[in-house]
């Protein structure tokens, strides 16, 4: 079994290095670390809808970098800062995953950075050959 890490050296808020990979791939499984609405090391503004779009776009960018698509996602984990944002988040989420809905958990949680949503995923694609 080979393990491939994507972006194991990255910067978070304030340009501080983060001690984890953006994603790790092993035997066709891709585990994508939690993504927030971060751009150039800072959380974007705009509320739950804008943050949801950006967090999911960041997640999809990592999937594509690794050669996966949303159709390969088997499970997502979602953390919302405010449970009142659930339906607004769901509308954005469905616009990306509606054709290929994975299993999902969604919970309310205090965030480690000043954001409204975080999302991670596990994807699977059989290895060729």
């Amino acid at each position: 079994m080979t393990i491939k890490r994507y972006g194991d050296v990255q910067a978070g808020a304030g340009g501080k290095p983060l001690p984890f990979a953006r994603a790790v791939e092993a035997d066709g499984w891709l585990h994508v670390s939690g993504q927030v609405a971060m751009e150039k090391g800072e959380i974007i503004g705009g509320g739950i809808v804008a943050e949801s779009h950006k967090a999911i776009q960041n997640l999809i960018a990592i999937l594509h970098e690794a050669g996966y698509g949303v159709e390969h996602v088997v499970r997502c984990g979602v953390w919302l800062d405010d449970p009142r944002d659930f339906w607004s988040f769901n509308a954005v989420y469905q616009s990306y995953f509606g054709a290929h809905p994975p299993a999902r958990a969604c919970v309310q949680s205090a965030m480690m950075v000043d954001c409204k949503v975080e999302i991670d995923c596990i994807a699977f694609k059989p290895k060729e050959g």
Side-chain angles (χ1 to χ4, degrees), residues 29-30 70-76 101-104 121-124:
W29 291 96
L30 183 72
V70 294
E71 69 274 15
H72 298 112
V73 176
V74 295
R75 185 187 186 283
C76 285
R104 189 184 92 180
C121 75
I122 300 170
F124 177 76

Side-chain angles (χ1 to χ4, degrees), residues 64-82:
H64 288 168
E65 177 186 347
Y68 292 72
V70 294
E71 69 274 15
H72 298 112
V73 176
V74 295
R75 185 187 186 283
C76 285
V78 178
W79 296 265
L80 296 174
D81 184 57
D82 187 336

Side-chain angles (χ1 to χ4, degrees), residues 43-68:
I43 301 295
I44 66 165
I48 186 62
V49 171
E51 284 196 32
S52 296
H53 277 291
K54 185 62 179 170
I56 293 171
Q57 289 165 1
N58 289 346
L59 183 93
I60 291 171
I62 295 168
L63 286 168
H64 288 168
E65 177 186 347
Y68 292 72

Side-chain angles (χ1 to χ4, degrees), residues 5-66:
R5 289 173 173 77
Y6 294 87
D8 54 344
V9 177
Q10 57 186 327
K16 294 180 181 175
L18 299 174
F20 53 86
R22 287 180 298 141
V24 175
E25 183 178 13
D27 285 344
W29 291 96
L30 183 72
H31 295 256
V32 179
S33 293
Q35 298 299 303
V36 296
M38 190 170 286
E39 188 172 284
K40 298 179 184 171
E42 299 297 328
I43 301 295
I44 66 165
I48 186 62
V49 171
E51 284 196 32
S52 296
H53 277 291
K54 185 62 179 170
I56 293 171
Q57 289 165 1
N58 289 346
L59 183 93
I60 291 171
I62 295 168
L63 286 168
H64 288 168
E65 177 186 347

Side-chain angles (χ1 to χ4, degrees), residues 17 28 37-38 42 66-67 80 85 91-92 110-111 116 119-121 123 128:
M38 190 170 286
E42 299 297 328
L80 296 174
D85 290 334
V92 174
M111 301 296 185
K116 296 183 175 299
I119 182 170
D120 71 1
C121 75
E128 297 175 7

